[in-house]
Coordinates of all heavy atoms in Angstrom, one line a residue:
M1 N 3.7 26.9 -59.5 CA 3.4 26.7 -58.1 C 4.2 25.6 -57.6 O 4.4 24.5 -58.3 CB 1.9 26.4 -57.9 CG 1.6 26.2 -56.5 SD -0.2 25.7 -56.1 CE -0.9 27.3 -56.4
F2 N 4.7 25.7 -56.4 CA 5.5 24.7 -55.8 C 4.6 23.6 -55.3 O 3.4 23.7 -55.1 CB 6.3 25.3 -54.6 CG 7.3 26.3 -55.0 CD1 7.0 27.6 -54.7 CD2 8.5 25.9 -55.5 CE1 8.0 28.6 -55.0 CE2 9.5 26.9 -55.8 CZ 9.2 28.2 -55.6
K3 N 5.2 22.3 -55.1 CA 4.4 21.2 -54.8 C 3.5 21.3 -53.5 O 2.4 20.8 -53.6 CB 5.4 20.0 -54.5 CG 4.7 18.6 -54.3 CD 5.7 17.4 -54.4 CE 5.0 16.2 -54.4 NZ 4.3 15.8 -55.7
H4 N 4.0 21.8 -52.4 CA 3.2 21.9 -51.3 C 2.7 23.3 -50.9 O 2.2 23.5 -49.8 CB 3.9 21.4 -50.1 CG 4.4 19.9 -50.2 ND1 3.4 18.8 -50.1 CD2 5.6 19.3 -50.6 CE1 4.0 17.7 -50.3 NE2 5.3 18.0 -50.6
Q5 N 2.7 24.2 -51.9 CA 2.4 25.6 -51.6 C 0.9 25.7 -51.3 O 0.5 26.6 -50.4 CB 2.7 26.4 -52.9 CG 2.4 27.9 -52.7 CD 2.9 28.7 -53.9 OE1 3.6 28.1 -54.8 NE2 2.6 30.0 -54.0
A6 N 0.0 24.9 -51.8 CA -1.4 25.0 -51.5 C -1.9 24.0 -50.4 O -3.1 24.0 -50.1 CB -2.2 24.7 -52.8
T7 N -1.0 23.4 -49.7 CA -1.3 22.4 -48.7 C -2.1 23.0 -47.5 O -3.0 22.5 -46.9 CB -0.1 21.7 -48.2 OG1 0.5 20.9 -49.3 CG2 -0.5 20.7 -47.1
A8 N -1.6 24.3 -47.2 CA -2.2 24.9 -45.9 C -2.2 26.4 -46.1 O -1.5 27.0 -47.0 CB -1.3 24.5 -44.7
Q9 N -3.0 27.0 -45.1 CA -3.1 28.5 -45.1 C -2.6 28.9 -43.7 O -2.5 28.1 -42.7 CB -4.5 28.9 -45.3 CG -5.0 28.6 -46.7 CD -4.2 29.1 -47.8 OE1 -3.7 30.2 -47.8 NE2 -4.0 28.3 -48.8
V10 N -2.4 30.2 -43.5 CA -2.0 30.7 -42.2 C -3.1 30.3 -41.2 O -4.3 30.5 -41.5 CB -1.9 32.2 -42.3 CG1 -1.7 32.8 -40.8 CG2 -0.6 32.6 -43.1
G11 N -2.8 29.8 -40.0 CA -3.6 29.4 -38.9 C -3.9 27.8 -39.0 O -4.4 27.3 -38.0
D12 N -3.6 27.2 -40.1 CA -3.7 25.7 -40.2 C -2.5 25.1 -39.4 O -1.5 25.7 -39.2 CB -3.7 25.2 -41.7 CG -4.8 25.7 -42.5 OD1 -5.9 26.1 -41.9 OD2 -4.7 25.5 -43.7
V13 N -2.7 23.9 -39.1 CA -1.6 23.1 -38.4 C -1.1 22.1 -39.4 O -1.9 21.4 -40.2 CB -2.2 22.2 -37.2 CG1 -1.0 21.4 -36.6 CG2 -2.7 23.2 -36.1
I14 N 0.2 22.0 -39.6 CA 0.8 21.0 -40.7 C 1.8 20.2 -40.0 O 2.3 20.5 -38.8 CB 1.5 21.9 -41.8 CG1 2.6 22.8 -41.3 CG2 0.5 22.6 -42.6 CD1 3.5 23.4 -42.5
R15 N 2.2 19.1 -40.6 CA 3.3 18.2 -40.2 C 4.2 18.2 -41.4 O 3.8 18.0 -42.5 CB 2.7 16.8 -39.9 CG 3.6 15.8 -39.6 CD 3.1 14.5 -39.2 NE 2.1 14.6 -38.1 CZ 0.8 14.1 -38.2 NH1 0.4 13.4 -39.2 NH2 0.0 14.3 -37.2
S16 N 5.4 18.3 -41.1 CA 6.6 18.2 -42.0 C 7.5 17.2 -41.6 O 8.2 17.3 -40.6 CB 7.3 19.6 -42.1 OG 8.4 19.5 -43.0
Y17 N 7.7 16.2 -42.5 CA 8.7 15.1 -42.2 C 10.1 15.4 -42.5 O 10.4 16.1 -43.5 CB 8.3 13.8 -43.0 CG 7.0 13.3 -42.5 CD1 5.8 13.6 -42.9 CD2 7.0 12.3 -41.4 CE1 4.6 13.1 -42.4 CE2 5.8 11.8 -40.9 CZ 4.6 12.1 -41.4 OH 3.5 11.7 -40.8
D18 N 11.0 15.1 -41.6 CA 12.5 15.3 -41.8 C 13.1 14.4 -42.9 O 13.9 14.8 -43.7 CB 13.2 15.1 -40.5 CG 12.8 16.1 -39.5 OD1 12.3 17.3 -39.9 OD2 12.9 16.0 -38.3
F19 N 12.7 13.1 -42.8 CA 13.3 12.1 -43.8 C 12.2 11.2 -44.2 O 11.4 10.7 -43.4 CB 14.4 11.3 -43.0 CG 15.4 12.2 -42.3 CD1 15.3 12.2 -40.9 CD2 16.4 12.8 -43.0 CE1 16.3 13.1 -40.3 CE2 17.3 13.6 -42.3 CZ 17.2 13.7 -41.0
R20 N 12.3 10.8 -45.5 CA 11.3 9.9 -46.1 C 11.5 8.5 -45.5 O 12.6 8.1 -45.3 CB 11.5 9.8 -47.6 CG 10.4 9.0 -48.3 CD 10.5 9.0 -49.7 NE 9.3 8.4 -50.3 CZ 9.1 8.5 -51.5 NH1 9.8 9.1 -52.4 NH2 7.9 8.0 -52.0
G21 N 10.4 7.9 -45.1 CA 10.4 6.6 -44.6 C 10.6 6.4 -43.1 O 10.7 5.4 -42.5
Q22 N 10.8 7.6 -42.4 CA 11.0 7.6 -41.0 C 10.0 8.6 -40.4 O 9.6 9.5 -41.0 CB 12.4 8.1 -40.7 CG 13.5 7.2 -41.3 CD 14.9 7.6 -40.9 OE1 15.1 8.4 -39.9 NE2 15.8 7.2 -41.7
D23 N 9.6 8.3 -39.2 CA 8.5 9.1 -38.6 C 9.1 10.3 -37.8 O 8.6 10.6 -36.8 CB 7.6 8.3 -37.7 CG 6.3 9.0 -37.3 OD1 5.9 9.9 -38.1 OD2 5.8 8.7 -36.3
Y24 N 10.1 10.9 -38.2 CA 10.8 12.1 -37.6 C 10.0 13.3 -38.2 O 10.2 13.5 -39.5 CB 12.2 12.2 -37.7 CG 13.0 11.0 -37.1 CD1 13.9 10.4 -37.8 CD2 12.7 10.7 -35.8 CE1 14.6 9.3 -37.2 CE2 13.4 9.6 -35.2 CZ 14.3 9.0 -35.9 OH 15.0 7.9 -35.3
H25 N 9.4 14.1 -37.5 CA 8.7 15.2 -38.0 C 8.5 16.4 -37.0 O 8.7 16.1 -35.8 CB 7.3 14.9 -38.6 CG 6.3 14.3 -37.6 ND1 6.3 13.0 -37.3 CD2 5.4 15.0 -36.9 CE1 5.3 12.9 -36.3 NE2 4.8 14.1 -36.1
I26 N 8.2 17.5 -37.6 CA 7.8 18.6 -36.7 C 6.3 19.0 -37.0 O 5.9 18.7 -38.2 CB 8.6 19.9 -36.9 CG1 8.7 20.4 -38.3 CG2 10.0 19.7 -36.2 CD1 9.5 21.7 -38.5
E27 N 5.6 19.5 -36.1 CA 4.2 19.8 -36.4 C 4.0 21.2 -35.8 O 4.6 21.5 -34.7 CB 3.3 18.8 -35.7 CG 1.9 18.8 -36.1 CD 1.2 17.5 -35.6 OE1 1.5 16.5 -36.1 OE2 0.4 17.8 -34.7
G28 N 3.1 22.0 -36.3 CA 2.8 23.4 -35.8 C 1.9 24.1 -36.7 O 1.6 23.8 -37.7
V29 N 1.5 25.3 -36.0 CA 0.6 26.2 -36.6 C 1.3 27.1 -37.6 O 2.4 27.7 -37.3 CB 0.0 27.1 -35.5 CG1 -0.9 28.2 -36.1 CG2 -0.7 26.2 -34.5
V30 N 0.8 27.2 -38.8 CA 1.4 28.1 -39.8 C 1.1 29.6 -39.4 O 0.0 30.0 -39.3 CB 0.7 27.8 -41.2 CG1 1.2 28.9 -42.2 CG2 1.0 26.4 -41.6
T31 N 2.2 30.3 -39.3 CA 2.2 31.8 -38.9 C 2.3 32.6 -40.0 O 1.9 33.8 -40.0 CB 3.1 32.2 -37.7 OG1 4.4 31.8 -38.2 CG2 2.8 31.3 -36.5
A32 N 2.9 32.1 -41.2 CA 3.2 32.9 -42.3 C 3.5 31.9 -43.5 O 3.9 30.8 -43.3 CB 4.3 33.9 -42.1
K33 N 3.3 32.4 -44.7 CA 3.7 31.6 -45.9 C 4.2 32.6 -46.9 O 3.7 33.7 -47.1 CB 2.7 30.6 -46.4 CG 1.3 31.2 -46.9 CD 0.3 30.2 -47.2 CE 0.6 29.5 -48.6 NZ -0.6 28.7 -49.1
G34 N 5.2 32.1 -47.7 CA 5.9 33.0 -48.5 C 7.4 32.9 -48.6 O 7.9 31.8 -48.1
M35 N 8.0 33.9 -49.0 CA 9.5 33.8 -48.9 C 10.0 33.8 -47.4 O 9.6 34.6 -46.7 CB 10.2 35.1 -49.7 CG 10.0 34.9 -51.2 SD 10.7 33.3 -51.8 CE 12.4 33.5 -51.4
I36 N 10.9 32.9 -47.2 CA 11.6 32.9 -45.9 C 12.9 33.6 -45.9 O 13.7 33.4 -46.8 CB 12.0 31.3 -45.5 CG1 10.7 30.4 -45.6 CG2 12.6 31.2 -44.2 CD1 9.6 30.7 -44.7
Q37 N 13.0 34.5 -45.0 CA 14.2 35.4 -45.1 C 15.3 34.8 -44.0 O 14.8 34.3 -43.0 CB 13.8 36.8 -44.5 CG 13.3 37.7 -45.7 CD 11.9 37.5 -46.0 OE1 11.1 37.2 -45.0 NE2 11.5 37.4 -47.3
H38 N 16.5 35.0 -44.3 CA 17.5 34.6 -43.4 C 17.3 35.4 -42.1 O 17.1 36.6 -42.1 CB 19.0 35.0 -44.0 CG 20.0 34.5 -43.3 ND1 20.5 35.1 -42.1 CD2 20.8 33.3 -43.4 CE1 21.5 34.4 -41.7 NE2 21.7 33.3 -42.4
P39 N 17.4 34.7 -41.0 CA 17.0 35.3 -39.7 C 18.0 36.4 -39.3 O 17.6 37.2 -38.4 CB 17.0 34.1 -38.7 CG 17.7 33.0 -39.3 CD 17.6 33.2 -40.8
T40 N 19.2 36.4 -39.7 CA 20.1 37.4 -39.3 C 20.3 38.4 -40.3 O 20.3 39.7 -40.1 CB 21.5 36.8 -39.0 OG1 21.3 35.7 -38.0 CG2 22.5 37.7 -38.5
H41 N 20.4 38.1 -41.6 CA 20.9 39.0 -42.6 C 19.7 39.5 -43.5 O 19.8 40.4 -44.3 CB 21.9 38.3 -43.6 CG 23.1 37.9 -42.8 ND1 24.0 38.8 -42.2 CD2 23.7 36.7 -42.5 CE1 24.9 38.3 -41.5 NE2 24.8 36.9 -41.7
G42 N 18.5 38.8 -43.4 CA 17.3 39.3 -44.0 C 17.2 39.0 -45.5 O 16.1 39.4 -46.1
F43 N 18.1 38.3 -46.1 CA 17.9 38.0 -47.6 C 17.0 36.8 -47.8 O 16.8 36.0 -47.0 CB 19.2 37.8 -48.3 CG 20.1 36.7 -47.7 CD1 19.9 35.3 -48.1 CD2 21.1 36.9 -46.8 CE1 20.7 34.3 -47.6 CE2 21.9 35.9 -46.3 CZ 21.7 34.6 -46.7
D44 N 16.3 36.8 -49.0 CA 15.4 35.7 -49.3 C 16.2 34.4 -49.5 O 17.2 34.3 -50.1 CB 14.7 36.0 -50.6 CG 13.6 37.1 -50.5 OD1 13.3 37.4 -49.3 OD2 13.1 37.6 -51.5
M45 N 15.6 33.3 -48.9 CA 16.3 32.0 -49.0 C 15.5 31.1 -49.8 O 16.0 30.4 -50.7 CB 16.6 31.4 -47.6 CG 17.6 32.2 -46.7 SD 18.0 31.3 -45.2 CE 16.6 30.9 -44.4
Y46 N 14.3 30.9 -49.5 CA 13.3 29.9 -50.3 C 11.9 30.2 -49.9 O 11.6 31.0 -48.9 CB 13.7 28.5 -50.1 CG 13.7 28.1 -48.6 CD1 12.6 27.7 -47.9 CD2 15.0 28.1 -47.9 CE1 12.6 27.5 -46.5 CE2 15.0 27.8 -46.5 CZ 13.8 27.4 -45.8 OH 13.9 27.1 -44.5
A47 N 11.0 29.7 -50.7 CA 9.6 29.9 -50.4 C 9.1 28.8 -49.6 O 9.4 27.6 -49.8 CB 8.7 29.9 -51.8
G48 N 8.3 29.1 -48.5 CA 7.8 28.1 -47.6 C 6.9 28.5 -46.5 O 6.4 29.8 -46.6
Y49 N 6.6 27.7 -45.6 CA 5.8 28.0 -44.4 C 6.6 28.4 -43.2 O 7.7 27.7 -43.0 CB 5.0 26.8 -44.0 CG 4.0 26.3 -45.0 CD1 4.2 25.2 -45.8 CD2 2.8 27.0 -45.2 CE1 3.3 24.7 -46.8 CE2 1.9 26.5 -46.2 CZ 2.2 25.4 -46.9 OH 1.3 25.0 -47.9
T50 N 6.3 29.4 -42.4 CA 6.8 29.6 -41.2 C 5.9 29.0 -40.1 O 4.6 29.3 -40.2 CB 7.0 31.1 -40.9 OG1 7.9 31.6 -41.9 CG2 7.7 31.4 -39.5
I51 N 6.3 28.2 -39.2 CA 5.4 27.6 -38.2 C 5.9 27.8 -36.8 O 7.2 27.9 -36.5 CB 5.2 26.1 -38.4 CG1 6.4 25.3 -38.2 CG2 4.6 25.8 -39.9 CD1 6.1 23.8 -38.2
E52 N 5.0 27.8 -35.8 CA 5.3 27.7 -34.4 C 5.3 26.3 -34.1 O 4.3 25.6 -34.1 CB 4.3 28.5 -33.6 CG 4.5 28.4 -32.1 CD 5.7 29.3 -31.6 OE1 6.1 30.3 -32.3 OE2 6.3 28.9 -30.6
I53 N 6.4 25.6 -33.7 CA 6.5 24.3 -33.5 C 5.9 23.8 -32.2 O 6.2 24.3 -31.2 CB 8.0 23.7 -33.6 CG1 8.6 24.1 -34.9 CG2 8.1 22.2 -33.3 CD1 10.1 23.8 -35.1
T54 N 4.9 22.9 -32.3 CA 4.2 22.4 -31.2 C 4.5 20.9 -30.9 O 4.2 20.4 -29.8 CB 2.7 22.6 -31.3 OG1 2.2 21.8 -32.5 CG2 2.3 24.0 -31.5
K55 N 5.1 20.2 -31.9 CA 5.4 18.8 -31.7 C 6.7 18.6 -32.5 O 6.8 19.0 -33.6 CB 4.3 18.0 -32.2 CG 4.5 16.5 -32.0 CD 3.3 15.7 -32.5 CE 3.6 14.2 -32.3 NZ 2.3 13.4 -32.8
D56 N 7.6 17.7 -31.8 CA 8.8 17.4 -32.4 C 9.1 15.9 -32.0 O 9.3 15.7 -30.9 CB 10.0 18.3 -32.0 CG 11.3 17.9 -32.4 OD1 11.5 17.2 -33.4 OD2 12.3 18.6 -32.0
T57 N 9.2 15.1 -33.0 CA 9.5 13.6 -32.7 C 10.9 13.2 -32.9 O 11.3 12.1 -32.7 CB 8.6 12.7 -33.6 OG1 9.0 12.9 -35.0 CG2 7.2 13.0 -33.5
L58 N 11.8 14.2 -33.2 CA 13.2 13.9 -33.3 C 14.0 14.1 -31.9 O 14.0 15.1 -31.5 CB 13.9 14.7 -34.4 CG 15.3 14.5 -34.7 CD1 15.6 13.1 -35.3 CD2 15.9 15.5 -35.8
G59 N 14.5 13.0 -31.5 CA 15.4 13.1 -30.3 C 14.6 13.6 -29.1 O 13.5 13.0 -28.7
S60 N 15.0 14.6 -28.4 CA 14.5 15.1 -27.2 C 13.3 16.0 -27.4 O 12.7 16.6 -26.4 CB 15.5 15.9 -26.4 OG 15.9 17.0 -27.1
G61 N 12.9 16.4 -28.6 CA 11.8 17.3 -28.9 C 12.2 18.7 -28.6 O 11.4 19.5 -28.3
S62 N 13.5 19.0 -28.7 CA 14.0 20.2 -28.4 C 13.5 21.4 -29.3 O 13.7 22.6 -29.0 CB 15.5 20.2 -28.3 OG 16.0 19.9 -29.6
R63 N 12.9 21.2 -30.4 CA 12.4 22.2 -31.2 C 11.1 22.8 -30.9 O 10.6 23.8 -31.4 CB 12.4 21.7 -32.6 CG 13.8 21.4 -33.2 CD 13.8 20.9 -34.7 NE 13.3 19.5 -34.7 CZ 13.2 18.8 -35.9 NH1 13.5 19.4 -37.0 NH2 12.7 17.5 -35.8
V64 N 10.4 22.2 -29.9 CA 9.0 22.6 -29.5 C 9.2 24.0 -28.9 O 10.2 24.4 -28.1 CB 8.5 21.7 -28.5 CG1 7.2 22.3 -27.8 CG2 8.2 20.4 -29.0
G65 N 8.3 25.0 -29.4 CA 8.4 26.3 -29.0 C 9.2 27.2 -29.9 O 9.1 28.5 -29.8
D66 N 10.0 26.6 -30.8 CA 10.8 27.4 -31.7 C 10.0 27.7 -32.9 O 9.0 27.1 -33.2 CB 12.0 26.5 -32.1 CG 13.1 26.3 -31.1 OD1 13.0 27.1 -30.1 OD2 14.0 25.5 -31.3
V67 N 10.5 28.5 -33.7 CA 10.0 28.9 -35.1 C 10.6 27.9 -36.0 O 11.9 27.6 -36.0 CB 10.3 30.3 -35.5 CG1 9.9 30.6 -37.0 CG2 9.6 31.3 -34.5
G68 N 9.9 27.3 -36.9 CA 10.4 26.4 -37.9 C 10.0 26.8 -39.3 O 9.1 27.7 -39.5
Y69 N 10.9 26.4 -40.2 CA 10.6 26.8 -41.7 C 10.5 25.5 -42.5 O 11.4 24.7 -42.4 CB 11.8 27.7 -42.1 CG 12.0 28.9 -41.2 CD1 13.1 28.9 -40.4 CD2 11.2 30.0 -41.3 CE1 13.3 30.0 -39.5 CE2 11.4 31.1 -40.5 CZ 12.5 31.1 -39.6 OH 12.7 32.1 -38.8
V70 N 9.5 25.5 -43.2 CA 9.1 24.3 -44.0 C 9.0 24.7 -45.5 O 8.1 25.4 -45.9 CB 7.8 23.7 -43.6 CG1 7.4 22.4 -44.5 CG2 7.9 23.3 -42.1
P71 N 10.0 24.3 -46.3 CA 10.0 24.7 -47.7 C 8.8 24.1 -48.4 O 8.3 23.0 -48.2 CB 11.3 24.1 -48.3 CG 12.1 23.8 -47.1 CD 11.3 23.6 -46.0
F72 N 8.3 24.9 -49.5 CA 7.2 24.4 -50.2 C 7.6 23.2 -51.1 O 6.8 22.3 -51.4 CB 6.6 25.4 -51.2 CG 5.8 26.6 -50.5 CD1 5.9 27.8 -51.0 CD2 5.1 26.4 -49.3 CE1 5.3 28.9 -50.5 CE2 4.4 27.5 -48.8 CZ 4.5 28.7 -49.3
E73 N 8.8 23.1 -51.5 CA 9.4 22.1 -52.3 C 10.9 22.0 -52.1 O 11.6 23.0 -51.9 CB 9.0 22.4 -53.8 CG 9.3 21.3 -54.7 CD 8.8 21.6 -56.1 OE1 7.6 22.0 -56.3 OE2 9.6 21.5 -57.1
V74 N 11.4 20.7 -52.0 CA 12.8 20.4 -51.9 C 13.2 19.5 -53.0 O 12.8 18.4 -53.0 CB 13.1 19.8 -50.5 CG1 14.5 19.6 -50.3 CG2 12.5 20.7 -49.3
D75 N 14.1 19.9 -53.8 CA 14.5 19.2 -55.0 C 15.1 17.8 -54.6 O 14.8 16.8 -55.2 CB 15.6 19.9 -55.8 CG 14.9 21.1 -56.6 OD1 13.7 21.1 -56.7 OD2 15.7 22.0 -56.9
F76 N 16.0 17.7 -53.6 CA 16.7 16.6 -53.4 C 16.0 15.6 -52.6 O 16.5 14.4 -52.4 CB 18.1 16.9 -52.7 CG 17.9 17.6 -51.4 CD1 17.9 16.9 -50.2 CD2 17.9 18.9 -51.3 CE1 17.7 17.4 -48.9 CE2 17.7 19.6 -50.0 CZ 17.6 18.8 -48.9
M77 N 14.8 15.9 -51.9 CA 14.1 14.8 -51.1 C 12.7 15.0 -51.1 O 12.0 14.8 -50.2 CB 14.6 14.9 -49.6 CG 14.4 16.3 -48.9 SD 14.8 16.2 -47.2 CE 13.2 15.8 -46.6
E78 N 12.2 15.4 -52.2 CA 10.7 15.7 -52.4 C 9.9 14.5 -52.5 O 10.3 13.5 -53.2 CB 10.4 16.7 -53.5 CG 8.9 17.3 -53.5 CD 8.7 17.9 -52.2 OE1 9.3 19.0 -51.9 OE2 7.9 17.3 -51.4
Y79 N 8.7 14.3 -51.9 CA 7.7 13.3 -52.1 C 6.3 13.7 -51.7 O 6.3 14.8 -51.0 CB 8.1 12.0 -51.4 CG 8.3 12.2 -49.9 CD1 7.4 11.8 -48.9 CD2 9.6 12.6 -49.3 CE1 7.6 12.0 -47.6 CE2 9.8 12.8 -48.0 CZ 8.8 12.5 -47.1 OH 9.0 12.6 -45.8
D80 N 5.3 13.1 -52.1 CA 3.9 13.5 -52.0 C 3.5 13.9 -50.5 O 2.8 14.8 -50.4 CB 2.9 12.6 -52.5 CG 3.0 12.5 -54.1 OD1 3.7 13.5 -54.7 OD2 2.5 11.6 -54.7
T81 N 3.9 13.1 -49.6 CA 3.4 13.3 -48.2 C 4.4 14.0 -47.2 O 4.4 13.9 -46.0 CB 3.1 11.9 -47.6 OG1 4.1 11.0 -47.6 CG2 1.8 11.3 -48.3
R82 N 5.4 14.7 -47.8 CA 6.4 15.3 -47.0 C 5.8 16.4 -46.1 O 6.2 16.6 -44.9 CB 7.5 16.0 -47.9 CG 8.7 16.6 -47.0 CD 9.8 17.2 -47.9 NE 9.2 18.3 -48.8 CZ 9.0 19.6 -48.3 NH1 9.3 19.9 -47.1 NH2 8.5 20.4 -49.1
V83 N 4.8 17.1 -46.6 CA 4.0 18.1 -45.8 C 2.7 17.7 -45.8 O 2.0 17.5 -46.9 CB 4.3 19.5 -46.4 CG1 3.5 20.5 -45.6 CG2 5.7 19.9 -46.5
E84 N 2.0 17.6 -44.7 CA 0.6 17.3 -44.6 C -0.2 18.2 -43.8 O 0.3 18.8 -42.7 CB 0.5 15.9 -43.8 CG 1.2 14.7 -44.5 CD 1.2 13.5 -43.7 OE1 0.9 13.5 -42.5 OE2 1.4 12.4 -44.3
L85 N -1.5 18.4 -44.2 CA -2.4 19.3 -43.4 C -2.9 18.4 -42.3 O -3.5 17.4 -42.5 CB -3.6 19.8 -44.3 CG -4.6 20.5 -43.6 CD1 -4.0 21.9 -43.0 CD2 -5.8 20.8 -44.6
V86 N -2.8 18.8 -41.0 CA -3.2 18.1 -39.8 C -4.6 18.6 -39.4 O -5.4 17.9 -39.1 CB -2.3 18.3 -38.7 CG1 -2.8 17.6 -37.4 CG2 -0.9 17.6 -39.0
K87 N -4.7 20.0 -39.4 CA -6.0 20.6 -39.0 C -6.1 21.9 -39.6 O -5.1 22.8 -39.6 CB -5.9 20.7 -37.4 CG -7.2 21.3 -36.8 CD -7.0 21.4 -35.4 CE -8.3 22.0 -34.7 NZ -8.2 22.2 -33.3
E88 N -7.3 22.3 -40.1 CA -7.6 23.5 -40.7 C -7.9 24.5 -39.6 O -8.4 24.1 -38.5 CB -8.7 23.4 -41.7 CG -8.4 22.7 -43.0 CD -9.5 22.7 -44.0 OE1 -10.3 23.8 -43.9 OE2 -9.7 21.8 -44.8
R89 N -7.5 25.7 -39.8 CA -7.8 26.7 -38.9 C -9.4 26.9 -38.7 O -10.1 26.6 -39.6 CB -7.2 28.1 -39.3 CG -7.9 28.7 -40.5 CD -7.3 30.0 -40.9 NE -7.9 30.6 -42.0 CZ -7.7 30.3 -43.3 NH1 -6.8 29.4 -43.6 NH2 -8.3 30.9 -44.3
L90 N -9.7 27.3 -37.5 CA -11.1 27.6 -37.2 C -11.5 29.0 -37.9 O -10.7 29.9 -37.7 CB -11.4 27.7 -35.7 CG -11.0 26.3 -34.9 CD1 -11.3 26.5 -33.5 CD2 -11.9 25.3 -35.4
T91 N -12.6 28.9 -38.6 CA -13.1 30.2 -39.2 C -14.4 30.6 -38.6 O -15.2 29.7 -38.2 CB -13.3 30.0 -40.7 OG1 -14.2 28.9 -41.0 CG2 -12.0 29.7 -41.3
A92 N -14.6 31.8 -38.4 CA -15.8 32.4 -37.8 C -17.0 32.5 -38.8 O -16.8 32.4 -39.9 CB -15.6 33.6 -37.2

């Protein structure tokens, strides 16, 4: 299992930090989890979360409304709090 694979489920809200030690992050609702496919060519790239971005603290916040991809694990910059659960989905 990857480091952050069990952090959230579809419908939960997560926060994903861009860089360790800096408060640049995206936040959004998880719309899917599993293999992320290349948006044009369709081949598998990595395992992770697909989110609808609702908050972006980097620069102008230009990623709000976009689809974001958050890897379950990143070898070169992994740390315990890189991906955080913000809010669990509401269940009936």
Side-chain angles (χ1 to χ4, degrees):
M1 179 180 289
F2 295 105
K3 185 169 187 74
H4 297 288
Q5 185 173 350
T7 299
Q9 301 301 320
V10 172
D12 292 346
V13 176
I14 62 171
R15 178 178 300 133
S16 175
Y17 290 90
D18 293 336
F19 308 103
R20 186 176 192 166
Q22 299 180 22
D23 195 26
Y24 298 128
H25 63 270
I26 55 174
E27 194 171 292
V29 177
V30 176
T31 58
K33 64 185 280 190
M35 286 306 297
I36 305 297
Q37 278 81 39
H38 188 278
T40 303
H41 303 291
F43 59 83
D44 288 347
M45 296 191 309
Y46 53 86
Y49 298 102
T50 301
I51 69 170
E52 177 71 30
I53 300 172
T54 57
K55 183 178 181 182
D56 176 10
T57 63
L58 183 63
S60 64
S62 62
R63 297 179 284 181
V64 171
D66 289 346
V67 172
Y69 304 102
V70 177
F72 291 148
E73 191 169 310
V74 182
D75 290 339
F76 63 90
M77 61 172 269
E78 193 56 69
Y79 55 98
D80 289 344
T81 58
R82 183 181 62 81
V83 179
E84 299 176 339
L85 177 64
V86 174
K87 181 179 178 184
E88 291 186 27
R89 71 182 179 276
L90 299 177
T91 56

